[in-house]
Each structure stands twice: as structure tokens, then as C-alpha cells.
Amino acid sequence: MMKKIVIVGGVAGGATAAARIRRLDENARIIVFERSGYVSYANCGLPYFIGGTIEDEEELTLQTPDGFFERFRIEAKVHHEVVSINREKRTVTVRDLEAGETFEESYDTLILSPGARPVVPPLEGVNDLLVFSLRTVEDTLKIHSFIEQNEPRSAVIVGGGFIGVELAENLNELGLKVTVVDMQPQLMNQLDGDMAAFIHSKMRAKGVELLLERGVSAFRSNGKTIETVLGEGESVTADMAVLAIGVSPDTKLAKDAGLELGLRGSILVNERMQTSDPDIYAVGDAVQVKHFVTGEPSLISLAGPANKQGRIAADNICGIESAFDGSQGSSVIKVFDLTAAATGINEKTAQSLGLNYDKVFLSPANHAGYYPGGKVMTMKVLFELGTDRLLGAQIVGFDGVDKRIDVIATAIRAGMKASELKLLDLAYAPPYSSAKDPVNMAGFMIENLNKGITKQFHWHEVGSLPRDGSVILLDVRTEGEYARGHIDGFINIPVDELRERIHELETCKKVYIMCQSALRSYIGYRILAQNGFDCLNLSGGYRLYQTVMQDKLAAEKAAHCGKED
């Protein structure tokens, strides 16, 4: 008997499910309803079309309705919105948005892949023609057309997540003066603040203004410019504004149909991607998932999990047992010439869950130091104390960031211990890596902490260290480095002179030791520890400390200037 499968939503999870079902069942009738004018399009590529990196709008669509039918005999109907579900009759009510007609379509199995909607707060002026949002191809073409026709010189972006940061870069590259406004104290909330500081520094260096910890109260337009009104009388006037606050699960259909809902109104599914109705499956940004690391209910709006879920739903519909065991939120973003990536949980999440954790920072080069062109990346790896469980990682740098985050993501998925990163047998040649890969180095550092070979302190503890002589604050960088900038209260003895000058230090005092990246200070730590000193090493070194402090100063300056204006 021929199955009839109806799919609501033809992007990511929905398109993947449709193609997978056809590969498994040549006889099924598959109908996809998509309310926009496009199916199987690349949401993640939309900012790059606006910026001109992607020049042809056809490149944004991986498949067309005609192409879907020609290759897979899938009936993909665009500009068709499913407005209700009748679970008893097993039908959906569909509105043809072009013809203005409504009809019913029956199903044997229904897949919901409605995605998420941009968050649009009910603010004064939010519907003005100079205020845009970015989620669909139509949104992209609208912004692209506005820029071509009006040649704006400035833009305000409200929201500092993936879309906001990518759009800021692309508009900046077009020559616009860009201001990013966000209620949070940082951009890119998948990162911790100390890692986001590197993103802030890069964006400010490129001329992007960051107004953080600011909420938007209204938009006011004179027809030519748009004023984004912030708190305390502050405002920013620009030629256009874009809302990129975030997204929320688009689950009205599911709610109206009486399906069980979860976090923030998302659709509850089991590991087979089945909803509370066994004939209805749901995938993508609209569903609640289990976080792979914490086991907690989560909403993770990423293309990778959505595509996997579409395949899993299709497998189960076609009689193949398949299960989704959670998402760990692995992500990567380009920020001008920087790359930022994350997997697992960050420190903020570990704290909120009350986990007993520790972290290491390291600043390795992307390839062998003797091979030309090497660039430093900053890595932060979290692990659980006692169990040595890998919790997550964040990396900001240049070449090779994506490779390392994928290795750590794989290690988390495989259940490896944090110190076992040292054992990974990773490819090495001078242009690509070092014999001791940065991921191996993280494992070595974690092992040293676990075995008590080293102890550490962190950048946020520096300010509270006593400066009364009761402890020794020691900087083991070169005299030149120290002269170019150092932390108040730290004395300078270069590591290569430390053995000869160890008599200058009092053994009875605890030593807080630092260098540029924490590597030379680790060497100094071991020299001192074996001579009877109680030491702690500054994790991440002066490089991390300086970046975070400069970021805080820049944020305070922006806040002060805003109030003066």
C-alpha cells in the first residue's frame, strides 16, 4: 500500500526527510508545503549574499521545486501555508498564498518542520520600512534590493548572535558604518565573555561600534533615516536597521493541534522524532532536544542537528530503527579574518548547573612554529573535576580553528576523558599542525592539573591578589615584554634567569607566576616548585588578561560616551 507523507516546511530538516524517504521508499507519495517561495535554501548563507560574497541568488537554493520533482518525484509546493491539522481525520488545511484558496490534504504520516520565527518585539516603529529582519530568502532579497537602490551609509543591527555578527561583517565590508546593539554584555552567547572579548576586539578594530547591555525601546523614522531609541535617552540614527534578536520555535500549528509542548513552547518529541501523536513527527528548530553533555532539555537552532533529525524521522517512518541522542551545539562563525567555534557547554552553563568543573586556556599556533605564516589561536577547554569528563570547548583564532573544535566535539561524543585528548593520534605536517597538536596540548595541561603537577589561577582573580608583599607576584617574560605592558604589582625575572636569581624570592611566600601565554610561566612554576615554592600559574597568561581588560575598558568607554551624548 502506498504511503502518503505530508511535510510542513521545506528547509533543512523537512527537505532532508523528504529526500531520505524517497531513497528508502520509491512508492511513497511525498508532498512538501513551504510557505515561502523557496525550498531547501541555505539560511546560513543569507548574510553573505547581502555582502556580495555569494553573487548569484540561485546559489542560495540547494534545490528547486522542479528539481525536487525531476530527481525525487517529490511534490514541493511553495507559497503554500499549512494553517491547521485535524488529527482525527488525518488531514491538514492548506492555504495557497498565490491563489488565495484553501484546501484539505490527507496524510498517512505528517512531518512538522516549521522552523523558527525571528523575534520581533512589539516596539513603536518596528514595522517601519527601514526596519528589516533576516530569516528567509525573501528577507535577504529585500535587504539586498534596498541597499542597491538606496546606497545606505550606515546601519544598526539589533542582536549580536550568528546573524547579527555575520551581517555586521558583510555590511561593514560594503562600506557601511555599522553599530551593533545588544542587551547582553557580550556578543555570541555560545562563548564565554573572556572568549567573546577577542570577537569584540576584532569588530571594533574593523570600525564596528558595539553598544552592549542596551535595550531598544522604539524605532522612529523620518522616511529617510531610522532612529533606534535605547535606554536613558540614548539613540542611534542610521539609514537602516536590522532586527537579529534571535528566533523562537514556530509551533502554533502543533499547539492548536493539541500536541505536547516543551521548553518555550517547542514541540516535544521522543528519540525517534515522534510527537505525542504517533502519526506526526517533528524536526528542526521547532523541537525540544536533549543536550548531549548535560542531558537537559534544550533548544538548539542549528542546521546540522535539523538535517540529522530529518533523516532519523524518515528512517523510522520507513521502518528503520533510528534514534537522535541529543545535540551538543557545535558551531563555528567567521568574523572578518577571525574564526570562532564552540562545542558542548560553556562556563556560564556549567556554573548555572552547579557543576564542579575547571578550565584550561592555551594559545598555540595553528601549525609548526618554524613554518612561515603561523598564527595564534586561543582555546578554552572545560572539564568536570573528579570524573575528568569533557564538558565543552571554545576556540578563537585563524586557520585550523574548525579542525580543532571538530576533534574536541568528536571526543565529547565518544565519551573520552579530558586528559585523554593527549592520546589522540592526529595528522601532522609543518604547514598544518605541530607534532604536539593544540588538542594534545590541552590534554597535557589537564593531566598536569589532575595530577597536581601544576596549579593555576585565572584572569578574574588577578585584581584581588594582595599587593602588600605577603605573596610574590612574578612575571617571567623578557624585560622588553614587561616594559611594553605588565600587570600592576608583578615583578619581572625572565624565566631564563630564574634559576640564577631564585635567591631573590622568599620560599615562605606563595608565588603567583605569569608570562604571555602561560607556557614559560609553567616552566618557571616547575623550577620554583622543585625548589620548595608554593606556586600558581596564570591560566591564559598576560595575552588573555590584557584582551579581557581592554574589552572591559572599551565597553565602559562606549557606555560613558553614550550617556554624555
Side-chain angles (χ1 to χ4, degrees), residues 227-274:
E227 181 186 14
T228 303
V229 182
L230 312 177
E232 301 182 11
E234 191 180 359
S235 66
V236 184
T237 300
D239 296 325
M240 61 184 295
V242 183
L243 283 174
I245 297 172
V247 295
S248 60
D250 188 358
T251 56
K252 185 178 186 301
L253 264 181
K255 182 179 180 182
D256 291 347
L259 298 177
E260 289 186 27
L261 303 180
L263 192 65
R264 287 175 51 195
S266 57
I267 305 171
L268 272 182
V269 292
N270 60 22
E271 62 181 12
R272 293 162 49 86
M273 306 312 299
Q274 261 176 324

mmCIF file of all heavy atoms in Angstrom, residues 227-274:
data_model
loop_
_atom_site.group_PDB
_atom_site.id
_atom_site.type_symbol
_atom_site.label_atom_id
_atom_site.label_comp_id
_atom_site.label_asym_id
_atom_site.label_seq_id
_atom_site.Cartn_x
_atom_site.Cartn_y
_atom_site.Cartn_z
ATOM 1 N N GLU A 227 15.801 56.117 13.610
ATOM 2 C CA GLU A 227 16.416 56.331 14.914
ATOM 3 C C GLU A 227 16.092 55.135 15.802
ATOM 4 O O GLU A 227 14.925 54.816 16.029
ATOM 5 C CB GLU A 227 15.896 57.612 15.558
ATOM 6 C CG GLU A 227 16.506 57.903 16.917
ATOM 7 C CD GLU A 227 15.870 59.104 17.611
ATOM 8 O OE1 GLU A 227 14.794 59.550 17.164
ATOM 9 O OE2 GLU A 227 16.444 59.575 18.620
ATOM 10 N N THR A 228 17.124 54.457 16.279
ATOM 11 C CA THR A 228 16.948 53.352 17.211
ATOM 12 C C THR A 228 17.096 53.918 18.617
ATOM 13 O O THR A 228 18.180 54.360 19.004
ATOM 14 C CB THR A 228 17.999 52.250 16.969
ATOM 15 O OG1 THR A 228 17.894 51.796 15.608
ATOM 16 C CG2 THR A 228 17.776 51.075 17.898
ATOM 17 N N VAL A 229 15.992 53.916 19.358
ATOM 18 C CA VAL A 229 15.962 54.546 20.674
ATOM 19 C C VAL A 229 16.341 53.510 21.726
ATOM 20 O O VAL A 229 15.726 52.439 21.820
ATOM 21 C CB VAL A 229 14.566 55.131 20.976
ATOM 22 C CG1 VAL A 229 14.577 55.818 22.343
ATOM 23 C CG2 VAL A 229 14.147 56.105 19.879
ATOM 24 N N LEU A 230 17.357 53.845 22.525
ATOM 25 C CA LEU A 230 17.831 52.969 23.582
ATOM 26 C C LEU A 230 17.389 53.538 24.927
ATOM 27 O O LEU A 230 16.593 54.471 24.990
ATOM 28 C CB LEU A 230 19.353 52.838 23.514
ATOM 29 C CG LEU A 230 19.928 52.527 22.121
ATOM 30 C CD1 LEU A 230 21.435 52.487 22.178
ATOM 31 C CD2 LEU A 230 19.380 51.222 21.585
ATOM 32 N N GLY A 231 17.901 52.987 26.004
ATOM 33 C CA GLY A 231 17.523 53.474 27.322
ATOM 34 C C GLY A 231 18.245 54.760 27.690
ATOM 35 O O GLY A 231 19.221 55.161 27.044
ATOM 36 N N GLU A 232 17.765 55.436 28.719
ATOM 37 C CA GLU A 232 18.382 56.624 29.308
ATOM 38 C C GLU A 232 18.621 57.722 28.275
ATOM 39 O O GLU A 232 19.641 58.422 28.299
ATOM 40 C CB GLU A 232 19.696 56.264 30.018
ATOM 41 C CG GLU A 232 19.516 55.241 31.134
ATOM 42 C CD GLU A 232 20.821 54.943 31.854
ATOM 43 O OE1 GLU A 232 21.819 55.667 31.631
ATOM 44 O OE2 GLU A 232 20.842 53.993 32.653
ATOM 45 N N GLY A 233 17.706 57.875 27.343
ATOM 46 C CA GLY A 233 17.792 58.955 26.369
ATOM 47 C C GLY A 233 18.793 58.744 25.257
ATOM 48 O O GLY A 233 18.996 59.631 24.427
ATOM 49 N N GLU A 234 19.422 57.593 25.211
ATOM 50 C CA GLU A 234 20.428 57.302 24.187
ATOM 51 C C GLU A 234 19.748 56.804 22.922
ATOM 52 O O GLU A 234 18.750 56.080 22.982
ATOM 53 C CB GLU A 234 21.382 56.246 24.735
ATOM 54 C CG GLU A 234 22.631 56.026 23.908
ATOM 55 C CD GLU A 234 23.526 54.962 24.525
ATOM 56 O OE1 GLU A 234 23.183 54.414 25.593
ATOM 57 O OE2 GLU A 234 24.579 54.685 23.929
ATOM 58 N N SER A 235 20.283 57.157 21.759
ATOM 59 C CA SER A 235 19.735 56.667 20.494
ATOM 60 C C SER A 235 20.829 56.643 19.433
ATOM 61 O O SER A 235 21.863 57.289 19.581
ATOM 62 C CB SER A 235 18.557 57.529 20.024
ATOM 63 O OG SER A 235 19.004 58.829 19.695
ATOM 64 N N VAL A 236 20.563 55.885 18.379
ATOM 65 C CA VAL A 236 21.487 55.794 17.249
ATOM 66 C C VAL A 236 20.681 56.007 15.982
ATOM 67 O O VAL A 236 19.657 55.338 15.772
ATOM 68 C CB VAL A 236 22.184 54.419 17.182
ATOM 69 C CG1 VAL A 236 23.202 54.411 16.051
ATOM 70 C CG2 VAL A 236 22.851 54.074 18.499
ATOM 71 N N THR A 237 21.110 56.930 15.147
ATOM 72 C CA THR A 237 20.427 57.200 13.888
ATOM 73 C C THR A 237 21.230 56.596 12.737
ATOM 74 O O THR A 237 22.454 56.751 12.671
ATOM 75 C CB THR A 237 20.252 58.711 13.671
ATOM 76 O OG1 THR A 237 19.474 59.245 14.742
ATOM 77 C CG2 THR A 237 19.537 58.992 12.350
ATOM 78 N N ALA A 238 20.534 55.896 11.852
ATOM 79 C CA ALA A 238 21.192 55.247 10.720
ATOM 80 C C ALA A 238 20.240 55.234 9.526
ATOM 81 O O ALA A 238 19.076 55.642 9.629
ATOM 82 C CB ALA A 238 21.614 53.826 11.096
ATOM 83 N N ASP A 239 20.757 54.751 8.404
ATOM 84 C CA ASP A 239 19.944 54.689 7.189
ATOM 85 C C ASP A 239 19.065 53.453 7.141
ATOM 86 O O ASP A 239 18.132 53.384 6.338
ATOM 87 C CB ASP A 239 20.851 54.723 5.954
ATOM 88 C CG ASP A 239 21.624 56.024 5.845
ATOM 89 O OD1 ASP A 239 21.076 57.072 6.228
ATOM 90 O OD2 ASP A 239 22.785 55.992 5.392
ATOM 91 N N MET A 240 19.367 52.458 7.974
ATOM 92 C CA MET A 240 18.566 51.241 8.034
ATOM 93 C C MET A 240 18.825 50.550 9.362
ATOM 94 O O MET A 240 19.829 50.804 10.022
ATOM 95 C CB MET A 240 18.898 50.285 6.877
ATOM 96 C CG MET A 240 20.334 49.801 6.861
ATOM 97 S SD MET A 240 20.766 48.773 5.432
ATOM 98 C CE MET A 240 19.736 47.330 5.704
ATOM 99 N N ALA A 241 17.901 49.695 9.766
ATOM 100 C CA ALA A 241 18.063 48.903 10.983
ATOM 101 C C ALA A 241 17.643 47.475 10.681
ATOM 102 O O ALA A 241 16.721 47.237 9.889
ATOM 103 C CB ALA A 241 17.232 49.468 12.134
ATOM 104 N N VAL A 242 18.331 46.538 11.301
ATOM 105 C CA VAL A 242 18.012 45.122 11.110
ATOM 106 C C VAL A 242 17.824 44.469 12.474
ATOM 107 O O VAL A 242 18.684 44.595 13.352
ATOM 108 C CB VAL A 242 19.117 44.377 10.337
ATOM 109 C CG1 VAL A 242 18.698 42.927 10.099
ATOM 110 C CG2 VAL A 242 19.416 45.071 9.014
ATOM 111 N N LEU A 243 16.699 43.788 12.652
ATOM 112 C CA LEU A 243 16.445 43.032 13.872
ATOM 113 C C LEU A 243 17.049 41.644 13.732
ATOM 114 O O LEU A 243 16.697 40.897 12.821
ATOM 115 C CB LEU A 243 14.941 42.902 14.128
ATOM 116 C CG LEU A 243 14.213 44.126 14.682
ATOM 117 C CD1 LEU A 243 12.721 43.855 14.716
ATOM 118 C CD2 LEU A 243 14.718 44.480 16.065
ATOM 119 N N ALA A 244 17.948 41.306 14.639
ATOM 120 C CA ALA A 244 18.555 39.973 14.664
ATOM 121 C C ALA A 244 18.630 39.514 16.114
ATOM 122 O O ALA A 244 19.655 39.045 16.589
ATOM 123 C CB ALA A 244 19.935 40.003 14.013
ATOM 124 N N ILE A 245 17.514 39.687 16.814
ATOM 125 C CA ILE A 245 17.469 39.423 18.252
ATOM 126 C C ILE A 245 17.553 37.929 18.553
ATOM 127 O O ILE A 245 18.051 37.511 19.590
ATOM 128 C CB ILE A 245 16.176 40.024 18.850
ATOM 129 C CG1 ILE A 245 16.182 41.544 18.689
ATOM 130 C CG2 ILE A 245 16.036 39.654 20.321
ATOM 131 C CD1 ILE A 245 14.883 42.208 19.070
ATOM 132 N N GLY A 246 17.076 37.140 17.627
ATOM 133 C CA GLY A 246 17.044 35.694 17.841
ATOM 134 C C GLY A 246 15.776 35.123 17.244
ATOM 135 O O GLY A 246 15.033 35.807 16.530
ATOM 136 N N VAL A 247 15.528 33.864 17.541
ATOM 137 C CA VAL A 247 14.355 33.186 16.990
ATOM 138 C C VAL A 247 13.620 32.451 18.103
ATOM 139 O O VAL A 247 14.182 32.159 19.158
ATOM 140 C CB VAL A 247 14.759 32.185 15.877
ATOM 141 C CG1 VAL A 247 15.355 32.910 14.687
ATOM 142 C CG2 VAL A 247 15.729 31.139 16.409
ATOM 143 N N SER A 248 12.364 32.171 17.832
ATOM 144 C CA SER A 248 11.571 31.353 18.751
ATOM 145 C C SER A 248 10.886 30.256 17.950
ATOM 146 O O SER A 248 10.558 30.448 16.771
ATOM 147 C CB SER A 248 10.531 32.207 19.481
ATOM 148 O OG SER A 248 9.650 32.816 18.556
ATOM 149 N N PRO A 249 10.659 29.080 18.546
ATOM 150 C CA PRO A 249 10.058 27.964 17.811
ATOM 151 C C PRO A 249 8.697 28.348 17.217
ATOM 152 O O PRO A 249 7.864 28.949 17.895
ATOM 153 C CB PRO A 249 9.905 26.881 18.885
ATOM 154 C CG PRO A 249 10.860 27.248 19.957
ATOM 155 C CD PRO A 249 10.941 28.738 19.948
ATOM 156 N N ASP A 250 8.515 28.022 15.962
ATOM 157 C CA ASP A 250 7.252 28.314 15.276
ATOM 158 C C ASP A 250 6.320 27.118 15.466
ATOM 159 O O ASP A 250 6.321 26.186 14.648
ATOM 160 C CB ASP A 250 7.521 28.582 13.795
ATOM 161 C CG ASP A 250 6.284 29.081 13.063
ATOM 162 O OD1 ASP A 250 5.221 29.174 13.703
ATOM 163 O OD2 ASP A 250 6.380 29.368 11.856
ATOM 164 N N THR A 251 5.551 27.136 16.517
ATOM 165 C CA THR A 251 4.813 25.923 16.901
ATOM 166 C C THR A 251 3.312 26.137 17.052
ATOM 167 O O THR A 251 2.639 25.374 17.718
ATOM 168 C CB THR A 251 5.378 25.352 18.212
ATOM 169 O OG1 THR A 251 5.334 26.363 19.228
ATOM 170 C CG2 THR A 251 6.826 24.906 18.032
ATOM 171 N N LYS A 252 2.774 27.172 16.440
ATOM 172 C CA LYS A 252 1.332 27.418 16.546
ATOM 173 C C LYS A 252 0.528 26.233 16.027
ATOM 174 O O LYS A 252 -0.469 25.822 16.632
ATOM 175 C CB LYS A 252 0.955 28.684 15.783
ATOM 176 C CG LYS A 252 -0.522 29.074 15.950
ATOM 177 C CD LYS A 252 -0.834 30.359 15.205
ATOM 178 C CE LYS A 252 -2.262 30.806 15.500
ATOM 179 N NZ LYS A 252 -3.289 29.812 15.118
ATOM 180 N N LEU A 253 0.965 25.679 14.895
ATOM 181 C CA LEU A 253 0.271 24.508 14.332
ATOM 182 C C LEU A 253 0.194 23.379 15.348
ATOM 183 O O LEU A 253 -0.863 22.783 15.565
ATOM 184 C CB LEU A 253 1.030 23.999 13.101
ATOM 185 C CG LEU A 253 0.597 24.440 11.712
ATOM 186 C CD1 LEU A 253 1.501 23.776 10.686
ATOM 187 C CD2 LEU A 253 -0.854 24.099 11.451
ATOM 188 N N ALA A 254 1.333 23.061 15.951
ATOM 189 C CA ALA A 254 1.397 21.965 16.916
ATOM 190 C C ALA A 254 0.544 22.258 18.136
ATOM 191 O O ALA A 254 -0.168 21.379 18.653
ATOM 192 C CB ALA A 254 2.850 21.723 17.318
ATOM 193 N N LYS A 255 0.612 23.485 18.610
ATOM 194 C CA LYS A 255 -0.167 23.866 19.795
ATOM 195 C C LYS A 255 -1.655 23.769 19.521
ATOM 196 O O LYS A 255 -2.420 23.207 20.323
ATOM 197 C CB LYS A 255 0.206 25.288 20.216
ATOM 198 C CG LYS A 255 -0.520 25.774 21.463
ATOM 199 C CD LYS A 255 -0.086 27.191 21.833
ATOM 200 C CE LYS A 255 -0.829 27.662 23.078
ATOM 201 N NZ LYS A 255 -0.439 29.072 23.427
ATOM 202 N N ASP A 256 -2.091 24.329 18.385
ATOM 203 C CA ASP A 256 -3.515 24.293 18.033
ATOM 204 C C ASP A 256 -4.011 22.868 17.834
ATOM 205 O O ASP A 256 -5.191 22.576 18.056
ATOM 206 C CB ASP A 256 -3.772 25.112 16.765
ATOM 207 C CG ASP A 256 -3.579 26.607 16.987
ATOM 208 O OD1 ASP A 256 -3.491 27.031 18.161
ATOM 209 O OD2 ASP A 256 -3.522 27.349 15.980
ATOM 210 N N ALA A 257 -3.095 21.974 17.415
ATOM 211 C CA ALA A 257 -3.481 20.567 17.198
ATOM 212 C C ALA A 257 -3.458 19.771 18.493
ATOM 213 O O ALA A 257 -3.805 18.580 18.490
ATOM 214 C CB ALA A 257 -2.546 19.932 16.176
ATOM 215 N N GLY A 258 -3.056 20.380 19.586
ATOM 216 C CA GLY A 258 -3.054 19.695 20.877
ATOM 217 C C GLY A 258 -1.861 18.787 21.102
ATOM 218 O O GLY A 258 -1.897 17.926 21.988
ATOM 219 N N LEU A 259 -0.785 18.974 20.338
ATOM 220 C CA LEU A 259 0.416 18.179 20.566
ATOM 221 C C LEU A 259 1.118 18.663 21.839
ATOM 222 O O LEU A 259 1.043 19.844 22.195
ATOM 223 C CB LEU A 259 1.366 18.287 19.372
ATOM 224 C CG LEU A 259 0.829 17.760 18.029
ATOM 225 C CD1 LEU A 259 1.854 18.006 16.927
ATOM 226 C CD2 LEU A 259 0.485 16.288 18.127
ATOM 227 N N GLU A 260 1.820 17.778 22.511
ATOM 228 C CA GLU A 260 2.518 18.153 23.742
ATOM 229 C C GLU A 260 3.687 19.086 23.418
ATOM 230 O O GLU A 260 4.430 18.862 22.468
ATOM 231 C CB GLU A 260 3.026 16.911 24.472
ATOM 232 C CG GLU A 260 1.912 16.079 25.104
ATOM 233 C CD GLU A 260 2.468 14.945 25.942
ATOM 234 O OE1 GLU A 260 3.604 15.083 26.460
ATOM 235 O OE2 GLU A 260 1.773 13.919 26.067
ATOM 236 N N LEU A 261 3.817 20.120 24.246
ATOM 237 C CA LEU A 261 4.846 21.132 24.030
ATOM 238 C C LEU A 261 5.856 21.112 25.170
ATOM 239 O O LEU A 261 5.577 20.607 26.254
ATOM 240 C CB LEU A 261 4.215 22.514 23.911
ATOM 241 C CG LEU A 261 3.154 22.693 22.812
ATOM 242 C CD1 LEU A 261 2.613 24.114 22.825
ATOM 243 C CD2 LEU A 261 3.713 22.350 21.438
ATOM 244 N N GLY A 262 7.029 21.684 24.898
ATOM 245 C CA GLY A 262 8.097 21.703 25.894
ATOM 246 C C GLY A 262 8.642 23.089 26.113
ATOM 247 O O GLY A 262 7.897 24.076 26.157
ATOM 248 N N LEU A 263 9.944 23.195 26.207
ATOM 249 C CA LEU A 263 10.659 24.428 26.509
ATOM 250 C C LEU A 263 10.276 25.540 25.541
ATOM 251 O O LEU A 263 10.317 25.359 24.333
ATOM 252 C CB LEU A 263 12.159 24.131 26.429
ATOM 253 C CG LEU A 263 13.158 25.140 26.969
ATOM 254 C CD1 LEU A 263 13.000 25.290 28.475
ATOM 255 C CD2 LEU A 263 14.577 24.685 26.636
ATOM 256 N N ARG A 264 9.873 26.683 26.081
ATOM 257 C CA ARG A 264 9.493 27.858 25.284
ATOM 258 C C ARG A 264 8.489 27.522 24.188
ATOM 259 O O ARG A 264 8.525 28.075 23.090
ATOM 260 C CB ARG A 264 10.732 28.520 24.689
ATOM 261 C CG ARG A 264 11.573 29.278 25.704
ATOM 262 C CD ARG A 264 12.856 29.814 25.101
ATOM 263 N NE ARG A 264 12.622 30.567 23.890
ATOM 264 C CZ ARG A 264 13.568 30.908 23.007
ATOM 265 N NH1 ARG A 264 14.811 30.522 23.217
ATOM 266 N NH2 ARG A 264 13.279 31.591 21.931
ATOM 267 N N GLY A 265 7.587 26.595 24.489
ATOM 268 C CA GLY A 265 6.546 26.245 23.534
ATOM 269 C C GLY A 265 7.004 25.380 22.395
ATOM 270 O O GLY A 265 6.279 25.215 21.397
ATOM 271 N N SER A 266 8.181 24.796 22.498
ATOM 272 C CA SER A 266 8.694 23.920 21.436
ATOM 273 C C SER A 266 7.916 22.604 21.421
ATOM 274 O O SER A 266 7.197 22.266 22.362
ATOM 275 C CB SER A 266 10.184 23.647 21.652
ATOM 276 O OG SER A 266 10.396 23.084 22.935
ATOM 277 N N ILE A 267 8.094 21.852 20.353
ATOM 278 C CA ILE A 267 7.372 20.586 20.192
ATOM 279 C C ILE A 267 8.148 19.478 20.897
ATOM 280 O O ILE A 267 9.345 19.303 20.674
ATOM 281 C CB ILE A 267 7.200 20.236 18.696
ATOM 282 C CG1 ILE A 267 6.515 21.385 17.953
ATOM 283 C CG2 ILE A 267 6.395 18.954 18.549
ATOM 284 C CD1 ILE A 267 6.499 21.210 16.441
ATOM 285 N N LEU A 268 7.450 18.726 21.750
ATOM 286 C CA LEU A 268 8.074 17.588 22.429
ATOM 287 C C LEU A 268 8.123 16.398 21.486
ATOM 288 O O LEU A 268 7.123 16.036 20.875
ATOM 289 C CB LEU A 268 7.281 17.211 23.680
ATOM 290 C CG LEU A 268 7.626 17.906 24.989
ATOM 291 C CD1 LEU A 268 6.759 17.339 26.113
ATOM 292 C CD2 LEU A 268 9.097 17.740 25.340
ATOM 293 N N VAL A 269 9.288 15.782 21.373
ATOM 294 C CA VAL A 269 9.445 14.578 20.556
ATOM 295 C C VAL A 269 10.238 13.545 21.347
ATOM 296 O O VAL A 269 10.957 13.876 22.286
ATOM 297 C CB VAL A 269 10.178 14.881 19.222
ATOM 298 C CG1 VAL A 269 9.330 15.749 18.310
ATOM 299 C CG2 VAL A 269 11.534 15.533 19.476
ATOM 300 N N ASN A 270 10.098 12.285 20.932
ATOM 301 C CA ASN A 270 10.928 11.242 21.522
ATOM 302 C C ASN A 270 12.193 11.076 20.688
ATOM 303 O O ASN A 270 12.428 11.842 19.737
ATOM 304 C CB ASN A 270 10.153 9.925 21.656
ATOM 305 C CG ASN A 270 9.655 9.396 20.305
ATOM 306 O OD1 ASN A 270 10.187 9.754 19.250
ATOM 307 N ND2 ASN A 270 8.646 8.543 20.335
ATOM 308 N N GLU A 271 13.005 10.095 21.017
ATOM 309 C CA GLU A 271 14.273 9.939 20.293
ATOM 310 C C GLU A 271 14.070 9.521 18.837
ATOM 311 O O GLU A 271 14.979 9.659 18.017
ATOM 312 C CB GLU A 271 15.152 8.914 21.005
ATOM 313 C CG GLU A 271 14.584 7.527 21.072
ATOM 314 C CD GLU A 271 15.489 6.562 21.815
ATOM 315 O OE1 GLU A 271 16.452 7.019 22.469
ATOM 316 O OE2 GLU A 271 15.227 5.348 21.740
ATOM 317 N N ARG A 272 12.860 9.048 18.501
ATOM 318 C CA ARG A 272 12.543 8.715 17.103
ATOM 319 C C ARG A 272 12.034 9.927 16.326
ATOM 320 O O ARG A 272 11.697 9.814 15.165
ATOM 321 C CB ARG A 272 11.486 7.613 17.073
ATOM 322 C CG ARG A 272 11.956 6.277 17.597
ATOM 323 C CD ARG A 272 10.760 5.362 17.955
ATOM 324 N NE ARG A 272 9.754 5.285 16.897
ATOM 325 C CZ ARG A 272 9.797 4.435 15.882
ATOM 326 N NH1 ARG A 272 10.818 3.584 15.781
ATOM 327 N NH2 ARG A 272 8.849 4.416 14.976
ATOM 328 N N MET A 273 11.959 11.082 16.999
ATOM 329 C CA MET A 273 11.420 12.334 16.464
ATOM 330 C C MET A 273 9.901 12.286 16.315
ATOM 331 O O MET A 273 9.313 13.086 15.582
ATOM 332 C CB MET A 273 12.084 12.723 15.125
ATOM 333 C CG MET A 273 13.595 12.783 15.156
ATOM 334 S SD MET A 273 14.317 13.713 16.562
ATOM 335 C CE MET A 273 13.656 15.344 16.317
ATOM 336 N N GLN A 274 9.254 11.387 17.071
ATOM 337 C CA GLN A 274 7.793 11.306 17.097
ATOM 338 C C GLN A 274 7.238 12.278 18.129
ATOM 339 O O GLN A 274 7.784 12.404 19.229
ATOM 340 C CB GLN A 274 7.339 9.899 17.486
ATOM 341 C CG GLN A 274 6.939 9.026 16.324
ATOM 342 C CD GLN A 274 6.591 7.621 16.806
ATOM 343 O OE1 GLN A 274 7.210 7.111 17.734
ATOM 344 N NE2 GLN A 274 5.627 7.001 16.175
#
